[in-house]
Amino acid sequence: MTALALETAPEMRPRPPRSGCVITADASYAARLAYDGTSWFPQRWTLDGPEPYAVPLPGRQPEEPDTDVLPLTDGRVLIRRRADGRRHLFALLYPTGPETGEVPLGAVECGELHLLPPAPDGRSAYALEPGARSTQVWLVAGGAFGPEHVAEVPGRCSGGVWLDRAGRLLALDREPAEGGPVKTVAVDLERGGEVTPLLQITEESADRLLVADLDSGLILVRSDAATPGAPRLGWGVLGSTLPVRFPQALRVPECTVTPFAVQPGQTLLPEGCAVALRIDGPADGAGGAPWLGLWRPSDGAMRQLPAPDGWLAGSGFWSREGVLSLPCVTREVSCALARVSAPEPSVPAADGQPVPAAAEAAAAPRPVPLGQAPLGGRTAGG
């Protein structure tokens, strides 16, 4: 395939509303909208070889900057285009020599629609249609007949974190239709959207699930349980009876800290998992660009690093060995991965236990109520 001209440097191109790129759950592929100096086009990255490489997937006409793309593990890329204000058109793109093949999947007609993160099976894709009193969940790729309605969840939902490898259990942050604080619920997509409470730290707190790692059980949440009215980043463990903790290490004054990747393969070792965080600060800090945080629950401090040149901010993935790969695009290189090693774990104390973390804010009195959630004792298929 003939490559398109080298992409315009990030600081010189118009910025789309969605930054970064989308990476499959197994980190085999990524997809994003790229810019060639005049127009936007989908681009697929192959990540599971010795070095990454990009394949452009331009359509018959330029894409709009609010177009969504999502990679599948078979190498195809799902694209969502908006037409006539209320029609969301879906198609699968794939390279065919010098051209781009396209398989139309149909459309969903509604106002607001958001693609969920890549499903763990790598073959399916889902979208949320939030409404005033309920939220619809759509299977937009991987079904038999185009977009399929799979669930209706009472309340207005956002977020989206997968809780199993089969793509059956989905965590959503739900605002009740009758009012009240946001709470995370688990939705069973194979039981008609059966809803079970998942995260409620206190009755009054707004609690959102940001990340869940299925190997270790580590979860990261944003909640105002410890400091009412001021959401903070905290961590807990799926299925644990311990409360969610809000370490001082995860606070950066006047900045927003958002986790985007957790080290896999750390079975039942949540405290030792390396976590990558995006840090956004005031415009006068770091030139207004996000920078990088690296942290483990067992550590008493977060390591802050400048972002590599051209980082597609908020995207990246860990290896099992603790190497963080960050997708980057610069004037000189149109597809690259900057690699950063995780900091060494805390040195165990004389009694063999990890060195305690820095003083934490008082934990909320209730743990994540995972005993009530459909996370144990079930297998895909019912």
Side-chain angles (χ1 to χ4, degrees):
M1 172 172 291
T2 302
L4 295 183
L6 195 62
E7 185 172 336
T8 304
E11 66 273 11
M12 299 177 62
R13 66 179 182 237
R15 184 182 297 275
R18 298 171 180 86
S19 62
C21 63
V22 183
I23 301 171
T24 57
D26 67 355
S28 58
Y29 290 99
R32 71 184 193 100
L33 279 188
Y35 190 70
D36 65 2
T38 60
S39 60
W40 296 100
F41 62 93
Q43 187 184 66
R44 187 197 72 190
W45 289 27
T46 299
L47 303 175
D48 57 358
E51 294 295 334
Y53 65 91
V55 176
L57 296 172
R60 298 180 183 89
Q61 62 186 34
E63 304 296 343
E64 296 296 325
D66 62 349
T67 296
D68 283 319
V69 292
L70 185 146
L72 304 180
T73 53
D74 63 4
R76 295 182 295 177
V77 172
L78 176 73
I79 188 168
R80 180 207 64 98
R81 302 179 176 109
R82 191 159 185 163
D84 303 326
R86 288 186 55 84
R87 297 188 70 226
H88 302 265
L89 306 173
F90 294 92
L92 289 173
L93 307 179
Y94 58 95
T96 58
E99 305 294 333
T100 299
E102 182 168 329
V103 179
L105 297 178
V108 175
E109 189 164 339
C110 62
E112 191 177 350
L113 193 74
H114 307 287
L115 282 180
L116 288 168
D121 66 6
R123 305 181 303 273
S124 308
Y126 293 83
L128 284 187
E129 177 196 343
R133 302 198 64 81
S134 66
T135 297
Q136 315 304 319
V137 184
W138 292 87
L139 173 66
V140 295
F145 307 106
E148 300 176 13
H149 181 264
V150 294
E152 180 175 7
V153 182
R156 182 176 177 83
C157 297
S158 59
V161 175
W162 293 102
L163 299 174
D164 70 339
R165 291 183 175 83
R168 170 179 177 173
L169 299 176
L170 175 66
L172 296 174
D173 301 326
R174 182 178 67 168
E175 181 181 354
E178 62 276 12
V182 174
K183 302 291 182 186
T184 302
V185 296
V187 180
D188 192 329
L189 299 180
E190 291 193 7
R191 297 199 175 195
E194 177 182 287
V195 177
T196 310
L198 179 67
L199 178 62
Q200 176 172 297
I201 302 177
T202 70
E203 291 185 3
E204 299 80 18
S205 59
D207 309 316
R208 300 175 185 271
L209 180 64
L210 304 181
V211 173
D213 178 67
L214 302 181
D215 291 332
S216 64
L218 177 67
I219 63 171
L220 288 110
V221 308
R222 198 179 302 281
S223 172
D224 62 358
T227 52
R232 289 182 55 180
L233 199 59
W235 71 279
V237 181
L238 288 170
S240 172
T241 58
L242 296 174
V244 172
R245 280 157 278 186
F246 297 89
Q248 192 70 22
L250 293 178
R251 299 190 71 184
V252 180
E254 300 182 4
C255 294
T256 300
V257 181
T258 306
F260 64 88
V262 175
Q263 181 183 0
Q266 310 304 298
T267 305
L268 303 179
L269 296 171
E271 294 86 354
C273 284
V275 179
L277 307 111
R278 168 179 172 162
I279 306 174
D280 292 272
D284 58 351
W291 63 100
L292 187 65
L294 302 178
W295 172 80
R296 283 188 178 88
S298 61
D299 293 342
M302 181 201 306
R303 180 183 173 197
Q304 298 185 41
L305 302 172
D309 290 343
W311 178 38
L312 301 176
S315 60
F317 60 94
W318 289 98
S319 70
R320 289 174 174 263
E321 295 73 30
V323 176
L324 176 65
S325 295
L326 302 170
C328 299
V329 173
T330 67
R331 183 191 296 273
E332 293 77 22
V333 182
S334 60
C335 173
L337 292 176
R339 293 184 169 92
V340 180
S341 295
E344 291 297 322
S346 298
V347 179
D351 60 2
Q353 298 301 313
V355 175
E360 301 178 353
R366 290 195 59 188
V368 181
L370 294 166
Q372 306 170 21
L375 296 179
R378 292 190 182 179
T379 58

